Amino acid sequence: HAKATGRDDFRTFTPQMQRQASRALQLESALRKALERGQLSLHYQPQITLDNGKVSCVEALLRWHHPQLGDITPSEFIPIAENSGQILSIGEWVIRSALAQLRRWHDLGLTWLRVAVNLSALQFRQPRFPQLIEQLLQECRIAPDMLELELTEGVAIDNPHQAVATMRQLHAQGVRMSVDDFGTGYSSLNQLKRFQIYKLKIDQSFVRDLDNDGNDRALVSAIIRMAQALGIRTTAEGVESQAQLDYLREQGCCEVQGYLFSAAQPADVIQAFLLQHAA
Ligand code: C2E
Ligand code: MG
Ligand code: MG
Ligand code: MG
């Protein structure tokens, strides 16, 4: 919906806007049936701890394959699911499925492995969200410290009081919280301390040009040192080259995630990677 702040903001409804709106409506209604029709799945991407070379965690990333529309990217359908409220049921399915998969991996002997899931603000703001997490952990017999919840920096903005209370409760339960896409939002150092954050995920936009952008190198180095000072771990996202890896290691980054190691892949493909890596 356009903001009506004055004459200058008036926009005509162009054919392109019309196409986008009708695509969004089409996706919204197709998404209502996606879960029950088995069109949603999770892919997993490993995070590697640099000081021991182990895969400490896998991030669950949602995929949607529609029989006629093909693969639809999360960046297209997640906002639609958020605006229509469907993210609540889809998000619960994501957490339950990721924990059930982690249970199978623990049963295979990969007992140190954790799973990370992405959360939307709407999920996090549900009044009984910590209770939901507790219930899902019990259902799958997973210890709370094996689950990481990835939140973006915007999540706390409109209701910092409730956000702090929810964070405190999750922290007390033993669940770990990460700030995703760190550096693209508005967190203050003060907030990071209050929120009892376990790790910062350095956004891939700072990692991409590490080889030839001195500013990005300075920023990444500063983020890592700030996190170290606060006792917060760091994970670099979007690591694609050996040169990026070398710099991150030299600066003391804790974990890395990116195509250099593996893209997000279906559970069976990642399982082979995990077993090979553990051997
Ligand atoms: P994110 O959580 O920051 O995930 C990282 C994205 O970067 C993923 O895109 C991943 O496939 C991609 N990526 C990983 N390594 C590399 C690399 O080396 N190079 C490049 N160029 N990209 C890399 P994806 O899977 O398309 O997900 C996009 C975003 O959609 C995610 O960003 C997350 O914000 C959201 N998302 C995905 N699954 C869920 C979900 O279950 N719930 C919610 N609320 N959001 C989700
Ligand atoms: Mg993420
Ligand atoms: Mg990210
Ligand atoms: Mg993102």
Side-chain angles (χ1 to χ4, degrees), residues 82-273:
E82 287 172 339
N83 292 330
S84 62
Q86 297 181 69
I87 197 67
L88 294 180
S89 52
I90 292 172
E92 182 173 334
W93 178 85
V94 167
I95 301 167
R96 181 179 278 113
S97 307
L99 291 172
Q101 180 60 62
L102 188 64
R103 165 78 357 251
R104 291 193 282 278
W105 282 330
H106 282 182
D107 291 344
L108 276 177
L110 302 164
T111 52
W112 61 87
L113 191 67
R114 293 195 302 275
V115 74
V117 296
N118 293 283
L119 283 189
S120 292
L122 204 61
Q123 288 175 274
F124 182 77
R125 291 187 193 128
Q126 295 172 99
R128 293 178 52 77
F129 183 69
Q131 287 88 340
L132 173 65
I133 292 294
E134 190 171 25
Q135 178 203 322
L136 295 175
L137 286 164
Q138 277 171 7
E139 247 176 60
C140 299
R141 294 176 293 113
I142 296 292
D145 63 353
M146 292 288 154
L147 175 63
E148 291 181 17
L149 299 176
E150 296 194 1
L151 294 151
T152 52
E153 292 169 84
V155 164
I157 284 171
D158 9 307
N159 190 346
H161 282 297
Q162 200 220 344
V164 171
T166 303
M167 292 284 210
R168 288 241 161 90
Q169 197 172 342
L170 288 166
H171 179 78
Q173 284 170 211
V175 174
R176 299 181 180 195
M177 280 150 307
S178 308
V179 180
D180 205 348
D181 306 340
F182 184 76
T184 61
Y186 303 94
S187 340
S188 66
L189 302 184
N190 184 37
Q191 265 178 340
L192 290 179
K193 277 202 80 158
R194 283 204 311 166
F195 286 169
Q196 294 160 307
I197 294 300
Y198 171 70
K199 79 164 59 149
L200 295 184
K201 298 192 71 181
I202 303 169
D203 191 64
Q204 52 190 40
S205 61
F206 301 104
V207 174
R208 194 172 301 133
D209 297 323
L210 270 186
D211 304 357
N212 42 41
D213 187 328
N215 283 333
D216 285 347
R217 272 200 296 277
L219 278 167
V220 164
S221 161
I223 291 170
I224 293 170
R225 268 176 292 142
M226 175 199 77
Q228 280 169 345
L230 292 168
I232 298 174
R233 295 181 69 81
T234 42
T235 301
E237 306 191 73
V239 179
E240 296 183 0
S241 74
Q242 184 64 43
Q244 291 166 339
L245 175 63
D246 292 342
Y247 183 76
L248 291 160
R249 193 195 292 276
E250 171 199 304
Q251 294 301 312
C253 186
C254 304
E255 280 132 36
V256 285
Q257 177 176 2
Y259 297 164
L260 182 61
F261 305 93
S262 170
Q265 302 271 10
D268 55 338
V269 177
I270 287 302
Q271 181 166 308
F273 180 95

